[in-house]
Amino acid sequence: LLNSLALTEAQKQGLLNLSERCLSKGYSSANIIYNELKFNRDLASLIKEKEMDDHFKLSGLIKALNPSILGHTNFLFKENSEVKSIEELIIHTFEGETTRNEMKDLMDQYGYKDMMVSAVFKNILDNGVFIEIGRDELYPSSKLSLTDEEIDEVKKYVEEQMAGKEYLCMSKLKGY
């Protein structure tokens, strides 16, 4: 890929500098780098000239120029980065109560499409990284602390509400 593009040394260095700026926190995405590239006076012409019109090509090029950058199109990171996935970024970004929309907005910035956003939500909920505390509110599981007494109170309340029913409609519970 790198040789077939026949980039000049100045273009290679420009792309390296641009990607380093975007990866200043240790992580970024081809989407973010591409958006920066579009508005860079010196490098924007590469999009058309070298047909770097999609994030897959740009991601491959960035990783070829700098082998210490790892990841995939939607999430790139330096090998020494604390954050190595979108799930880890979500954990570091949302340390308290948040909403699905706030998380989705973050994933949109990184180029995640709706299908992948849904998969990430499923993953973080199925793995107990976040719990749903309301219709749209999420909270980091690691920050939730309940005493045994509080857990017993919740169990008692649920049992009372169930009162022989096969299921319990959460939206009809008091305080939900």
Side-chain angles (χ1 to χ4, degrees):
L1 173 68
L2 196 53
N3 291 335
S4 66
L5 289 175
L7 296 172
T8 67
E9 286 305 312
Q11 290 169 329
K12 289 178 190 177
Q13 193 58 52
L15 284 169
L16 278 171
N17 292 342
L18 178 74
S19 63
E20 276 300 314
R21 276 195 314 277
C22 293
L23 285 152
S24 63
K25 293 180 181 176
Y27 53 86
S28 190
S29 73
N31 186 57
I32 291 170
I33 296 170
Y34 183 79
N35 287 334
E36 290 293 319
L37 180 63
K38 287 190 304 189
F39 298 104
N40 183 295
R41 291 179 203 219
D42 300 324
L43 300 171
S45 62
L46 291 177
I47 295 171
K48 196 171 199 172
E49 289 172 15
K50 305 298 182 180
E51 297 179 2
M52 291 191 329
D53 51 357
D54 73 41
H55 302 150
F56 296 106
K57 291 177 188 174
L58 183 58
S59 175
L61 177 60
I62 297 300
K63 291 192 294 186
L65 287 170
N66 186 347
S68 70
I69 296 174
L70 307 169
H72 52 81
T73 305
N74 288 338
F75 202 84
L76 299 170
F77 58 92
K78 293 180 179 180
E79 57 189 353
N80 62 350
S81 176
E82 281 185 36
V83 177
K84 294 183 176 8
S85 69
I86 194 69
E87 291 86 355
E88 289 179 14
L89 178 59
I90 288 170
I91 292 167
H92 288 286
T93 303
F94 302 105
E95 296 182 354
E97 186 176 327
T98 188
T99 65
R100 288 178 187 270
N101 283 336
E102 289 173 330
M103 286 185 184
K104 182 183 181 312
D105 289 346
L106 176 70
M107 289 185 270
D108 286 346
Q109 291 173 9
Y110 282 78
Y112 282 75
K113 303 295 182 221
D114 287 343
M115 192 170 186
M116 282 302 297
V117 168
S118 294
V120 171
F121 276 129
K122 180 177 178 358
N123 190 26
I124 63 174
L125 291 171
D126 286 354
N127 291 323
V129 177
F130 278 81
I131 59 168
E132 295 176 282
I133 59 170
R135 183 173 238 108
D136 185 46
E137 293 86 23
L138 301 168
Y139 196 79
S141 301
S142 63
K143 305 275 171 126
L144 186 64
S145 171
L146 296 173
T147 65
D148 288 341
E149 185 178 296
E150 290 168 326
I151 292 171
D152 289 340
E153 282 182 45
V154 171
K155 283 181 185 177
K156 182 180 173 189
Y157 177 71
V158 169
E159 287 169 359
E160 288 172 2
Q161 296 301 308
M162 290 287 293
K165 299 175 192 167
E166 288 188 35
Y167 68 92
L168 185 62
C169 182
M170 295 293 290
S171 63
K172 292 184 179 179
L173 291 178
K174 179 180 172 186
Y176 184 74

